[in-house]
Each structure stands twice: as C-alpha cells, then as structure tokens.
Amino acid sequence: MRTGQGSGDESQRETHRLSLARLVVRLCVMVIALVAIDGLVAAYLRPGQHYDADWRLPKTWPMSALPGYVDHIEALSRDARRPVVLFLGASPTWGEMNSDSHHAYPAAFARVAHANGSGARVYNLGVDGALVADQYFIADRLAGHADLLAVQLTYHTFNPVARIEGRQQFPELPRILGEAVSLQVASVLGIDASRAFNLSGIVDRTLDRHWVLFREHDSLAARLFGRPVRDELFARWQDLTSSAPEELPLASHSPASLSFDDLDPARQTEIVERYADFANFQIKRTDSELRMLDLLCARLQRQHAHAVFFMSPLNITALTGFEVFDRHLYDANVAVIRSVVERHGLTFIDWNQPKLELPSAFFADITHTTDAGSALFARRLYKALAPLITSTKAPS
C-alpha cells in the first residue's frame, strides 16, 4: 500500500513538474500580455493630448504627465525653419489667471511668431509653484532639444519665507526624468546624490524607456482617480475606518479677464497686502534659489545652450500705489540675480523696469496677467527674443 502510494505521489509530481517547453510558453504568454497591456494603456492615455496645440501640464499632479510631454519634445525633428522654443516657469507661465491654455503667454507668443512669419514650435513647460530647482532638472533634460530655452523667474521665490515647499516643489523630478543628481545639487537641495554606478537607476531608466505602464503609471492613476494610487487607497481606507466629515471643496476662482483695476478696493487691498508680506526682502547669496540658478546657468553654458532668463512681470503700479514697493531694494536684488545669469554668458531681461513694466489694467492680481495682459506681454517678449530665435541654427 505504501509503495503504491509513494509511486503515485512521484508520478503526480512528475506530471506537474515545469518542463522547459512549458516555461517558455508561459514566458511568451506573459510577454504578450504585457505588450497588450502597454498597447491599451498607450491608447487610453494618448487621445486628447495634442501637444502641438497650446498644450500644458495639468493643474493637478502635473508631473504625472511630464514623461509623455518630454518624449514628444525629444522626438521632434530639428529644422532651422521651425525652431523649437521651450518656456519654463511657474504659474505666470502656466497661465494661472488665464481663461484657458490658449491665452497663456507662451501660446500667445506662438501666435505672434507665426504672424511674423516664424515657424517656431512653442511649448509651455510652466508648472504652478515651480522653483528654480525644478526648472534645473527639466532644462537639463531638454536643453539639447531646444533652439531656445526661455526661463521665467519668479521674484518672490528668492525669499525663503515665500517658498511653502522648501527648496524644491517637485522632488520626484530626478526619478521621473532619469536625471543624475550631482554632489553640488544634492548639497544645495539637501537630497542624496546619484552614485557613480547606480544599478537601480539604470534599471529604472531602461524600464522607463521601453515599458509604457511603468513610465506612465502616475499619469494613468491621475486619469483614473485624479491622484496617485497610494493616495487613492489611503483615502478609501480612511472612508472605511473613519467617520470624519467630508472636506468642503475649495472655493473656486474665476480666471476670466477681470483686471486688477476692476476689483473691489477691499479685494485689491487684500491682494497687495498678502504679496507685500514676503515681497520685500534682501536676497542672500547662500539662498537655494540663487545657488540653483547658478548651477543651472553653469550647466546650460557647458551644454552651449541658447537660453534666456527673465523676471516675470509684476503689477508695479499697484504695489507702488499702495506704497509697499521698495524700488531700490528690488533693483539691488535683481542686480544679484542678473549677475549670476550674465556671468555664464546668458541673457537676462527684467520686465519690471520703468520702461518695460505692464500697466495695472493688464494684471489679474500682482503676479498674473489677464488674457489681454498675456497677449501684450507675448508681443513684447517676441520682439525681445526674435533675434535669439532667428540666430539659432539646428544641427545638421
């Protein structure tokens, strides 16, 4: 009896033993399934993302959509007749108070360029809340794919008090973009530097290039849930385990073309006083924004990139009218910023000098332009940048 049972058990194990042929079949099925899933994910995410039609990163979880945008820009063919112009910046570039992406100043800039006979292809890489550290990684990745890189700087972010998130708004950028973190950058931002040989980083970058689901998982989660999966799971766990009342939705604001001059005086006062709380400061050469600007400019200089930096327009008329603007302090701070940019052979423009500043009627608040303001700024910006665009030549 025992001998018979033993023989039966061995026979059963032989039957279920995984042969080489079965292993190959299973691996092939897995590969086919992954390819099919990748195809479905790509088909689900790509429709509606018309990158060449005044597209911009989404307001919520913008970095989830960055890889696809970067891939598109890197895939552009170089053509001297159709130079690639990339705008980097924060909410003024993104178009915080514009009615839609078509009225943000980069889109208006593209229309002005085309009206003047330029075939420039213009892309808006502005991100709400972005700091110089965030622009560093994006610029480093894309500088070699741009005929002109235009970087908008936000004056008050050079004041540490105004930076809610500290030294970097989007710490996930090096991972998302596959960018190495040098010892200098790591020291300024207080993060880990990339090791000389980083197997994990190599694997991640390889998977990022070839596996759509791996590369786009954040974008997929944002499309399905409006947030990363971990946040969605945590929220659902809270719903199951907590009886806390639901959060009230944030009050929405209308980004229509209502100008600052048309606002109620009490609202004007509130806006100006809020900005004045962190707008008057003395810049420090040890500040992370200034140090990252220096590293970014040095990096672009080594890459022989065509780049221009400019100070985003401020509603100087309103600030002066409410007597909260110190012109001498502002000019001293901007002189320090200018010196950093220009010592690396790059162009710097301050749009808040008396002959260049925009009238108050073209602002929605202190730092964001209305639709009409963005159109006016785009015309002035094109006039300043047109020589830089026409002087660039795509490599043969």
Side-chain angles (χ1 to χ4, degrees):
M1 289 286 292
R2 291 179 180 175
T3 304
Q5 284 180 345
S7 299
D9 291 341
E10 284 188 26
S11 176
Q12 193 172 12
R13 283 196 293 271
E14 286 287 339
T15 303
H16 292 288
R17 184 175 296 167
L18 185 62
S19 64
L20 179 60
R22 287 183 178 178
L23 178 61
V24 171
V25 169
R26 293 185 183 185
L27 289 174
C28 289
V29 170
M30 289 172 61
V31 170
I32 292 171
L34 288 173
V35 170
I37 291 172
D38 262 21
L40 291 173
V41 170
Y44 177 68
L45 292 177
R46 289 293 176 260
Q49 298 202 14
H50 305 294
Y51 295 124
D52 294 308
D54 299 337
W55 194 84
R56 62 183 177 183
L57 292 163
K59 177 75 171 177
T60 305
W61 302 109
M63 293 304 110
S64 66
L66 184 62
Y69 201 18
V70 167
D71 288 346
H72 175 80
I73 294 171
E74 290 181 335
L76 294 172
S77 58
R78 303 304 294 274
D79 185 344
R81 296 167 299 179
R82 303 185 64 209
V84 175
V85 180
L86 304 183
F87 281 98
L88 278 66
S91 56
T93 298
W94 188 86
E96 174 68 22
M97 297 299 285
N98 294 129
S99 53
D100 53 43
S101 64
H102 304 291
H103 288 90
Y105 81 78
F109 181 95
R111 290 191 291 274
V112 174
H114 296 164
N116 282 273
S118 171
R121 292 168 287 178
V122 181
Y123 296 92
N124 183 353
L125 283 148
V127 187
D128 186 25
L131 301 175
V132 175
D134 304 301
Q135 295 164 2
Y136 174 91
F137 293 107
I138 298 174
D140 190 37
R141 172 72 181 263
L142 290 175
H145 301 274
D147 294 290
L148 180 64
L149 197 67
V151 184
Q152 171 251 312
L153 300 175
T154 308
Y155 178 64
H156 63 263
T157 63
F158 287 86
N159 180 3
V161 176
R163 297 196 296 267
I164 299 173
E165 300 296 331
R167 300 177 182 180
Q168 188 179 6
Q169 179 77 4
F170 303 100
E172 68 271 26
L173 272 172
R175 174 185 61 81
I176 289 176
L177 296 174
E179 285 287 297
V181 179
S182 68
L183 289 173
Q184 285 180 305
V185 171
S187 175
V188 173
L189 299 181
I191 60 178
D192 293 332
S194 300
R195 294 185 292 274
F197 177 76
N198 185 355
L199 179 60
S200 177
I202 294 172
V203 172
D204 282 351
R205 286 191 291 273
T206 302
L207 293 176
D208 189 73
R209 281 196 299 269
H210 302 292
W211 189 2
V212 176
L213 182 59
F214 182 87
R215 182 176 67 245
E216 303 284 4
H217 68 279
D218 280 340
S219 183
L220 181 62
R223 180 76 69 88
L224 292 173
F225 309 116
R227 51 188 165 185
V229 173
R230 63 181 181 276
D231 293 343
E232 176 68 14
L233 292 174
F234 180 71
R236 294 192 178 189
W237 178 80
Q238 279 191 318
D239 290 340
L240 292 173
T241 60
S242 174
S243 58
E246 294 183 5
E247 290 185 10
L248 294 175
L250 294 174
S252 61
H253 69 278
S254 174
S257 297
L258 187 66
S259 77
F260 180 86
D261 290 351
D262 295 328
L263 297 176
D264 181 87
R267 178 61 177 154
Q268 291 180 340
T269 302
E270 179 188 357
I271 291 173
V272 171
E273 289 181 348
R274 182 182 302 174
Y275 187 79
D277 285 341
F278 47 76
N280 289 319
F281 63 98
Q282 185 170 3
I283 197 167
K284 296 181 179 178
R285 293 189 179 273
T286 57
D287 182 67
S288 62
E289 283 285 272
L290 195 66
R291 293 172 66 191
M292 285 305 302
L293 178 63
D294 190 25
L295 291 175
L296 171 55
C297 291
R299 182 67 173 160
L300 294 176
Q301 183 182 29
R302 288 194 297 271
Q303 292 178 316
H304 303 288
H306 290 92
V308 57
F309 291 77
F310 59 91
M311 195 58 66
S312 182
L314 293 173
N315 191 343
I316 301 296
T317 303
L319 294 173
T320 303
F322 280 82
E323 299 181 347
V324 296
F325 182 67
D326 187 331
R327 166 60 71 178
H328 295 294
L329 182 59
Y330 173 85
D331 286 343
N333 286 337
V334 171
V336 174
I337 296 171
R338 179 189 295 275
S339 68
V340 169
V341 175
E342 292 184 345
R343 75 164 167 258
H344 294 288
L346 302 174
T347 302
F348 177 84
I349 305 173
D350 177 18
W351 289 101
N352 297 305
Q353 292 305 306
K355 293 183 179 180
L356 298 177
E357 64 187 55
L358 299 180
S360 179
F362 291 98
F363 286 89
D365 49 30
I366 300 301
T367 58
H368 304 103
T369 49
T370 62
D371 290 352
S374 293
L376 174 60
F377 179 55
R379 291 194 295 272
R380 295 184 177 183
L381 192 59
Y382 178 76
K383 185 177 180 180
L385 301 189
L388 298 175
I389 296 175
T390 55
S391 67
T392 60
K393 294 183 178 180
S396 57

